[in-house]
Amino acid sequence: MVSLLISLFVAFLNSASTNASPFFKLSSRAQVIPQFVKDFAPVVFLDKEEQYYPADIARHIENTAPFITLNAIDPAPAITVDNLETLNTLGNQGDDVFLTSKEIVKDKPAFFTGTKPDNTGMTVGATSCVTIVSDHGDGIVDAFYMYFFSYNQGNTVLFHELGDHVGDWEHNMIRFKNGVPEAVWFSQHSGGQAFAYSGLEKEGNRPVYPKGKKGQENLFTFRKYVDGPTGPRNKNLNRVNVCPDKTKYCKIRVKAAP
């Protein structure tokens, strides 16, 4: 297995703030990222047979074009990491805008592969992760560690491959109380599971997050076949509990077992 060490790109979110654009690059807001968020960042292990690695977000944007549903935006806007949010002015406030591969998907363009981590676990030359911090007050802080893949190859079901999609976000969220990790959320496409920090495998103090091959998360034998990807703004960053607010019953399991 190879490991992916976090964090390459950091943002900060104050859950009580209503100010516009609360997201900032690490270079300009490093002082607001608590040290414990970095110290307890998960270590992600990829399957040794993985073919599609974490991807550089800027390269993904360069190789895609914004569509509104199935129609290309004409004229095509010049989109970069620095102005990507301008797409939120289009297509139902961005909900109907899709970054669509400029090349034929079935040909598996080169950018789908992403960047294989080196022997230190770094995706050298690629910004493939985002960390978002949500401060609830009273010592409660949620740190979201987001992992980006340009391509997710689905599973084969009854001889048909289902669930392939261009662009995929997976994430962990660690809930801290006064700088001490209490619980960890593991996303699994549209769902996920929560575990007590004390019951997880760790490298030092950092929880381990095994990823399945083909970009599919399979730590707890929970598989999704056709649910499409959504970005960080749809991850319920201001959730009340460790689980997303849509979860009817948030069960925090004492111990993780594959």
Side-chain angles (χ1 to χ4, degrees), residues 114-153:
T115 300
K116 184 177 181 178
D118 65 14
N119 58 7
T120 69
M122 299 298 293
T123 52
V124 177
T127 298
S128 57
C129 309
V130 175
T131 302
I132 300 172
V133 178
S134 180
D135 188 347
H136 294 270
D138 295 325
I140 298 176
V141 171
D142 291 341
F144 291 81
Y145 305 89
M146 317 288 299
Y147 321 117
F148 181 72
F149 296 78
S150 277
Y151 182 67
N152 188 111
Q153 185 176 13

Side-chain angles (χ1 to χ4, degrees), residues 221-237:
T221 67
F222 176 90
R223 304 299 289 247
K224 297 292 290 187
Y225 296 111
V226 296
D227 203 359
T230 58
R233 81 169 188 168
N234 292 327
K235 301 305 185 187
N236 197 188
L237 302 177

Side-chain angles (χ1 to χ4, degrees), residues 99-227:
L99 294 180
T100 304
S101 176
K102 295 177 180 178
E103 300 179 61
I104 298 174
V105 172
K106 69 178 182 179
D107 291 341
K108 304 294 175 61
F111 80 95
F112 279 11
T113 303
T115 300
K116 184 177 181 178
D118 65 14
N119 58 7
T120 69
M122 299 298 293
T123 52
V124 177
T127 298
S128 57
C129 309
V130 175
T131 302
I132 300 172
V133 178
S134 180
D135 188 347
H136 294 270
D138 295 325
I140 298 176
V141 171
D142 291 341
F144 291 81
Y145 305 89
M146 317 288 299
Y147 321 117
F148 181 72
F149 296 78
S150 277
Y151 182 67
N152 188 111
Q153 185 176 13
N155 298 298
T156 300
V157 181
L158 299 177
F159 308 105
H160 294 279
E161 192 171 286
L162 302 176
D164 296 5
H165 44 264
V166 177
D168 189 38
W169 289 93
E170 298 291 351
H171 74 278
N172 292 120
M173 186 274 276
I174 300 181
R175 172 153 292 185
F176 295 91
K177 177 67 174 180
N178 296 324
V180 178
E182 292 188 332
V184 183
W185 171 259
F186 291 82
S187 75
Q188 295 165 307
H189 292 280
S190 66
Q193 297 187 52
F195 295 86
Y197 169 81
S198 59
L200 294 172
E201 179 185 354
K202 304 176 187 68
E203 284 204 353
N205 291 325
R206 302 173 67 179
V208 170
Y209 183 31
K211 291 282 295 178
K213 63 185 296 188
K214 300 182 181 179
Q216 291 284 351
E217 199 283 322
N218 68 349
L219 180 58
F220 309 112
T221 67
F222 176 90
R223 304 299 289 247
K224 297 292 290 187
Y225 296 111
V226 296
D227 203 359

Side-chain angles (χ1 to χ4, degrees), residues 37-49:
V37 171
K38 304 172 187 178
D39 292 341
F40 291 97
V43 178
V44 179
F45 283 86
L46 303 176
D47 191 282
K48 64 182 180 181
E49 298 181 6

